[in-house]
Amino acid sequence: SRSCSCRLQHWALLSVSLLNCLLSTACSVGLALAIALTVHSRGTHLVRGCNSSALPLDARAAIATNDCPFNTTRIYDTALALWIPSLLLAAAETVLSGRSCLVALVFRGIEPCAHGYGTQQV
């Protein structure tokens, strides 16, 4: 845009993209940690809410008790099936937000992005 508030738009793009990049990175790290802990413990942390002493060591095994407030038969597979695509999307969002932040730096002429190949690309 070639309006008078071009400077304001550049700073808004920089601040929003930087904030989004930080939040997406935190989300990616959190999801990666959740996936790692779940795979390492074979899903036993997912069924901790059950008050049954008949809990198996593997969350994929069938539980023959009604003490759980949720269905435990597919919780391990469902959690991973939802978390892995979410991790990939959060990582892609981090990359795109980082690129938007770099574009805002190029627009403002802030070093080290002000001169060089990045400016010619934009």
Side-chain angles (χ1 to χ4, degrees), residues 54-78:
L55 289 176
L57 293 177
D58 191 358
R60 299 179 99 179
I63 297 175
T65 182
N66 291 331
D67 293 341
C68 293
F70 53 87
N71 185 2
T72 59
T73 55
R74 293 184 198 100
I75 192 165
Y76 181 79
D77 297 328
T78 304

Side-chain angles (χ1 to χ4, degrees), residues 102-103 105-122:
L102 287 176
V103 166
L105 289 173
V106 168
F107 281 160
R108 289 302 324 144
I110 299 174
E111 299 290 336
C113 301
H115 306 291
Y117 180 69
T119 307
Q120 292 173 359
Q121 268 190 324
V122 173

Side-chain angles (χ1 to χ4, degrees), residues 17 19-33 35 82-99:
S17 62
L19 178 66
N20 192 34
C21 186
L22 292 174
L23 290 174
S24 298
T25 302
C27 185
S28 297
V29 169
L31 281 168
L33 183 64
I35 291 170
L82 292 173
W83 288 346
I84 291 172
S86 296
L87 175 64
L88 295 175
L89 290 173
E93 185 178 1
T94 300
V95 169
L96 293 174
S97 296
R99 289 180 59 100

